[in-house]
């Protein structure tokens, strides 16, 4: 969030002399209380200032970076996940490549008949297979995929920040969003978080915090 010069002056006055009333701030800036009201409301809602009845405004003690960090940590996977693109274990490598191309994704989630997550196959996995001399239509993805439990996952209730950290730490392009199967055996894929997801959230954050 970028503050205007007047908002910066208000913030400095409150830092130096707070708690201080709106009328006193307006007097120091040679402005009316009504003129100042929108700026005070913005600074208060953004978390820079706090206000108490019969006391006035005082500095909340948080920097813009701290406030941004708090907001980012509140973003949840369940609010940003997109539909997962899945294939079955017996799907051929050729059909998986076609699915990846048609759906414009870089990762496919491989599931069993009961929708349980069995593995993940990436663009790199399929490229390695395509470089061999075997018939891609006869090779099931179950042979080339990364299998459970060696798959990095996230849950709907994880923060988007945690999901982004996993994408970076494990150097993967996508995470399956999972929940426990009803029978307690394994997990079911209910969504995906990708690097594109994180980029979109970052852009939205910049747009929504621009005053």
């Amino acid at each position: 969030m970028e503050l205007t010069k007047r908002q910066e002056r208000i913030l400095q006055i409150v830092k130096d002399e707070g708690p201080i009333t709106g009328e006193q701030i307006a007097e120091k800036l040679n402005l009316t209380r009504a003129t100042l009201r929108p700026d005070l409301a913005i600074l208060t809602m953004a978390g820079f200032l706090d206000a108490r009845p019969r006391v006035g405004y005082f500095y909340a003690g948080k920097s813009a970076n701290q406030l941004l960090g708090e907001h980012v940590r509140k973003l949840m996977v369940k609010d940003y996940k997109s539909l997962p693109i899945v294939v079955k274990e017996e799907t051929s490598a050729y059909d998986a490549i076609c699915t990846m191309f048609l759906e414009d994704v870089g990762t496919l989630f491989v599931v069993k008949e009961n929708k349980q997550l069995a593995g993940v196959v990436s663009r790199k996995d399929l490229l390695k297979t395509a470089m061999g001399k075997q018939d891609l239509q006869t090779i099931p993805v179950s042979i080339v995929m990364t299998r459970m439990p060696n798959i990095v996952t996230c849950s709907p209730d994880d923060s988007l920040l945690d999901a982004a950290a996993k994408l970076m730490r494990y150097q993967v392009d996508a995470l399956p969003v999972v929940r426990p199967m009803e029978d307690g055996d394994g997990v079911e894929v209910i969504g995906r978080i990708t690097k594109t997801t994180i980029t979109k959230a970052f852009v939205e954050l910049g747009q929504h915090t621009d005053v």
Side-chain angles (χ1 to χ4, degrees):
M1 176 179 176
E2 186 174 351
L3 302 180
T4 65
K5 289 184 177 180
R6 186 162 71 191
Q7 289 165 356
E8 289 178 349
R9 290 179 64 193
I10 294 171
L11 203 55
Q12 190 59 53
I13 289 172
V14 177
K15 281 183 181 180
D16 294 339
E17 304 185 32
I20 184 172
T21 66
E23 288 77 8
Q24 291 171 325
I25 297 172
E27 183 178 348
K28 288 180 175 296
L29 294 175
N30 294 319
L31 297 172
T32 64
R33 178 70 173 83
T35 301
L36 210 58
R37 189 174 291 115
D39 291 312
L40 291 171
I42 289 170
L43 291 171
T44 302
M45 288 188 293
F48 289 103
L49 299 182
D50 204 346
R52 292 289 184 272
R54 300 174 185 172
V55 175
Y57 293 92
F58 57 92
Y59 182 54
K62 296 179 181 179
S63 67
N65 285 340
Q66 288 175 315
L67 294 168
L68 180 61
E70 288 181 359
H71 183 72
V72 168
R73 284 187 285 275
K74 292 178 182 177
L75 303 181
M76 305 300 292
V77 165
K78 61 186 174 185
D79 298 322
Y80 284 88
K81 66 181 176 64
S82 53
L83 291 175
I85 307 302
V86 302
V87 294
K88 294 183 178 179
E89 290 180 291
E90 61 270 21
T91 301
S92 69
Y94 176 83
D95 288 338
I97 291 173
C98 292
T99 300
M100 191 172 283
F101 175 77
L102 292 173
E103 297 290 347
D104 192 24
V105 295
T107 304
L108 300 175
F109 304 127
V110 186
V111 298
K112 299 181 180 181
E113 289 296 334
N114 61 353
K115 298 183 180 180
Q116 178 183 347
L117 178 63
V120 170
V121 61
S122 69
R123 186 187 292 112
K124 185 182 294 185
D125 294 328
L126 294 174
L127 179 59
K128 287 180 180 179
T129 305
M131 291 172 67
K133 295 182 179 181
Q134 292 178 290
D135 183 359
L136 295 178
Q137 294 185 341
T138 64
I139 303 175
V141 292
S142 58
I143 292 180
V144 301
M145 71 184 184
T146 299
R147 292 180 173 275
M148 288 291 286
N150 301 315
I151 299 174
V152 184
T153 66
C154 62
S155 76
D157 294 324
D158 287 342
S159 73
L160 199 60
L161 181 61
D162 287 338
K166 287 183 178 180
L167 288 172
M168 293 179 61
R169 184 182 310 124
Y170 296 100
Q171 298 184 3
V172 294
D173 293 328
L175 297 176
V177 183
V178 301
R179 66 184 174 195
M181 298 286 291
E182 291 185 0
D183 59 8
D185 184 19
V187 293
E188 176 186 2
V189 184
I190 60 173
R192 65 189 168 107
I193 292 292
T194 68
K195 291 179 179 179
T196 300
T197 308
I198 305 302
T199 302
K200 287 181 178 179
F202 180 77
V203 171
E204 289 179 8
L205 182 62
Q207 291 173 337
H208 292 169
T209 56
D210 187 18
V211 177

